[in-house]
Amino acid sequence: MSGRYPDEVDVVIVGSGPAGATYARILSEEAPALTIAMFEVGPTVSQPPGAHVKNIADPGERSRAQTLSEGPHAQESTDRVGGIVKTSQRRARPGTFLLESGYQVEGEDGLPVAAMSSNVGGMAAHWTGACPRPNASERIALLDADGSLDRLLDEGERLLGVTVDAFDSSPYAELVRERLAAAEDAGRVASTHIQRMPLAVHRRGDGNLVWSGSDVVFGDITRSNARFTLWDESRVARVLIEDGRAAGVVVTDRRSGENSEVRARFVVVAADALRTPQLLWASGIRPDALGRYLNDQAQIVFAVRIRDLEPSGEADAPGATGLSEYSGVTWVPFTDAMPFHGQVMQLDASPVALAEDDPAAPGSIVGLGLFCPKDLQSSDRVEFSDVETDGYGMPAMTVHYRLTPRDREVIARGKEEIVRLGKAVGEPLDERPFMMPLGASLHYQGTTRLGASDDGDSVCSPQCEVWGVPGLFVAGNGVIPTATACNPTLTGVALAVNGARAIAAKSAES
């Protein structure tokens, strides 16, 4: 994790989240002769590097790992407060940090709680692990015609360690699914019935849950690859372009302040959907679609108490990660007729104060969340300044973002649907559902979207190579070109598999 940067490698990967880790893993498997340098702007906060912080048993150590992930000023602040709350106050979830400015332009909706993480493993050290497959209009038609999308999704599930049985012992999981199915399954095809959520999590032999982070994506084959090295606290400031193609990067050691050039045949920018286009912009790589088609998923939440429930003596004690398990995680799949993706799971605490003598059984408070797809428009975008900089010294961002009339109609319908589904499970704890501040989903997409041709509406090819810049690849959720409601990580990893294989093939030809 330390030492002088190499002068030259075959592949540079910028960012250590699941998409960047996918490039390292696939290249380690399919092109093991290549030398790979991965640079991460944030620190190492967990072991093995990139592991999910939920796997840290000690609450104090877990909190410290989250704090260290909270951006360029993480170690300077003494009053950081995580957790988005139901007020007008802007707060970040633990392990993330908000845009300090530029998150909302006057007269627009903006993304008031747009957030990022800076740490080895990226947001995958803090995520919920939900890995549903896209369905219907969420799917990428360009990759769907020959069945390649499903093959890539299969690979994504392998790399992320996706399972559906981790919560099978939860005492209320089947009850929740049965009640939701009775209210929702009619008219749905079997593949979109109410079901267990695919999760990047598995259960150890001692019964404790292990959540997947980038460490799982790396796998032993990457960690044992002597030609792969990961440098943390290393800020890539610019991609080098020579003779029209990627030639390496300029990287700053954040500990010493030393600047270095690292030459490479291929460069993969896998920062996130906000910082990947930022780095391209800073490098003078500015295709028309860069930063455009930015989309978030409006998130509606509702809470109920499971109806007619006898207290269960099971799952009373939290596991090593402090999580009690009662109702599991249930999936309401997206369909074009029901354009929402739903997650239903036990809440750690009731959002409504309960009386001390309230007989609610432990684990009986269930949260429902519906994610709404965005009406895509080119004008929803992140712009970058040529003058002002952010806390890392990179071009400052300004978000332009508006909900369309169609978006507002979908959100209004989502509020009705979540109440209907909630009442099927139990008794509502509040009269109305709540829409989280825009940006709360952390599912930003579209800013480096792929396309069939260099027509000005896409940044990269289906193999994720930037149009007009051979050897430069982009990765992560920003590459997804469709309006999705489902969690995007699985799809982002699947697309990274496609790009990594393209590099392996090109390297074999040269």
Side-chain angles (χ1 to χ4, degrees):
M1 291 297 171
S2 63
R4 186 171 181 270
Y5 302 134
D7 293 328
E8 185 175 359
V9 295
D10 292 306
V11 183
V12 160
I13 302 172
V14 183
S16 62
T22 294
Y23 273 82
R25 170 72 172 271
I26 294 298
L27 292 174
S28 295
E29 290 179 341
E30 301 187 11
L34 297 181
T35 53
I36 306 167
M38 174 176 282
F39 299 110
E40 167 58 53
V41 72
T44 301
V45 301
S46 56
Q47 293 296 332
H52 201 300
V53 300
K54 280 186 181 179
N55 300 332
I56 301 174
D58 180 79
E61 287 299 311
R62 192 183 319 134
S63 178
R64 180 175 181 274
Q66 291 169 329
T67 299
L68 290 174
S69 304
E70 294 174 0
H73 308 301
Q75 300 183 54
E76 303 168 11
S77 177
T78 58
D79 60 354
R80 301 183 71 82
V81 179
I84 295 173
V85 295
K86 295 197 295 186
T87 72
S88 59
Q89 190 173 8
R90 297 175 64 241
R91 293 191 178 180
R93 300 171 192 253
T96 73
F97 63 101
L98 300 173
L99 284 178
E100 295 182 13
S101 62
Y103 50 83
Q104 186 174 18
V105 173
E106 185 175 355
E108 299 181 358
D109 297 290
L111 295 177
V113 293
M116 299 164 279
S117 292
S118 288
N119 53 271
V120 173
M123 198 72 78
H126 313 284
W127 67 321
T128 65
C131 289
R133 289 196 176 207
N135 183 53
S137 59
E138 293 181 306
R139 295 175 66 88
I140 303 168
L142 189 59
L143 298 173
D144 220 5
D146 62 355
S148 61
L149 179 59
D150 280 321
R151 291 193 294 272
L152 292 170
L153 291 168
D154 288 343
E155 273 291 88
E157 290 175 343
R158 175 181 75 93
L159 297 179
L160 287 163
V162 175
T163 67
V164 295
D165 59 1
F167 285 92
D168 277 3
S169 62
S170 301
Y172 306 147
E174 190 60 34
L175 175 64
V176 169
R177 284 196 291 273
E178 286 176 358
R179 291 182 177 181
L180 285 170
E184 184 58 28
D185 277 356
R188 285 176 173 253
V189 299
S191 62
T192 62
H193 282 175
I194 303 299
Q195 56 195 276
R196 298 174 294 181
M197 178 70 77
L199 294 166
V201 60
H202 67 275
R203 195 173 292 278
R204 289 196 318 232
D206 62 6
N208 282 312
L209 294 172
V210 180
W211 298 83
S212 297
S214 289
D215 64 316
V216 171
V217 181
F218 285 130
D220 290 337
I221 191 168
T222 307
R223 283 187 287 272
S224 63
N225 181 359
R227 295 176 178 270
F228 168 77
T229 311
L230 189 159
W231 280 271
D232 66 358
E233 298 197 61
S234 300
R235 177 179 67 92
V236 173
R238 185 160 53 93
V239 176
L240 297 172
I241 305 297
E242 292 181 1
D243 300 323
R245 66 167 293 121
V249 297
V250 176
V251 59
T252 301
D253 186 331
R254 295 194 67 225
R255 294 184 178 95
S256 68
E258 179 185 0
N259 294 318
S260 303
E261 282 192 6
V262 179
R263 313 287 297 181
R265 296 160 57 196
F266 302 96
V267 175
V268 180
V269 183
D272 57 38
L274 299 176
R275 288 180 285 184
T276 291
Q278 181 189 48
L279 179 54
L280 266 60
W281 178 273
S283 307
I285 304 162
R286 302 178 179 183
D288 290 343
L290 186 71
R292 293 187 175 272
Y293 296 98
L294 169 66
N295 65 95
D296 174 42
Q297 297 167 349
Q299 184 178 358
I300 304 165
V301 295
F302 195 56
V304 301
R305 177 170 22 200
I306 302 177
R307 186 174 55 250
D308 305 324
L309 186 67
E310 292 294 329
S312 171
E314 300 179 61
D316 287 340
T321 57
L323 177 70
S324 296
E325 306 160 29
Y326 289 92
S327 57
V329 186
T330 294
W331 178 23
V332 184
F334 170 94
T335 70
D336 288 338
M338 177 75 164
F340 314 101
H341 158 74
Q343 291 181 215
V344 182
M345 64 185 75
Q346 173 196 329
L347 295 180
D348 291 336
S350 169
V352 176
L354 302 177
E356 291 183 4
D357 60 350
D358 194 299
S364 64
I365 306 300
V366 172
L368 296 89
L370 289 183
F371 294 85
C372 307
K374 181 72 173 72
D375 187 16
L376 299 184
Q377 47 188 4
S378 174
S379 58
D380 290 330
R381 66 197 187 278
V382 55
E383 291 183 340
F384 306 100
S385 174
D386 283 322
V387 179
E388 298 179 355
T389 58
D390 64 13
Y392 286 114
M394 298 296 288
M397 304 181 195
T398 298
V399 171
H400 291 274
Y401 199 79
R402 295 178 184 268
L403 296 178
T404 68
R406 180 180 174 186
D407 289 327
R408 297 186 189 281
E409 290 173 6
V410 170
I411 290 168
R413 181 182 168 193
K415 289 179 177 179
E416 294 176 355
E417 294 289 355
I418 202 169
V419 171
R420 180 178 66 85
L421 294 173
K423 288 182 176 179
V425 174
E427 304 301 331
L429 297 185
D430 206 343
E431 294 181 3
R432 295 182 300 275
F434 174 72
M435 191 176 101
M436 302 290 278
L438 292 174
S441 79
L442 307 177
H443 294 169
Y444 321 126
Q445 301 165 63
T447 52
T448 53
R449 67 204 307 251
L450 67 80
S453 62
D454 186 7
D455 59 1
D457 274 337
S458 63
V459 170
C460 65
S461 72
Q463 291 73 40
C464 305
E465 191 170 19
V466 174
W467 296 120
V469 190
L472 177 60
F473 290 73
V474 286
N477 298 338
V479 175
I480 300 171
T482 54
T484 70
C486 71
N487 311 67
T489 300
L490 175 63
T491 303
V493 166
L495 297 177
V497 170
N498 211 27
R501 287 177 172 168
I503 290 178
K506 289 174 180 288
S507 67
E509 294 170 359
S510 58

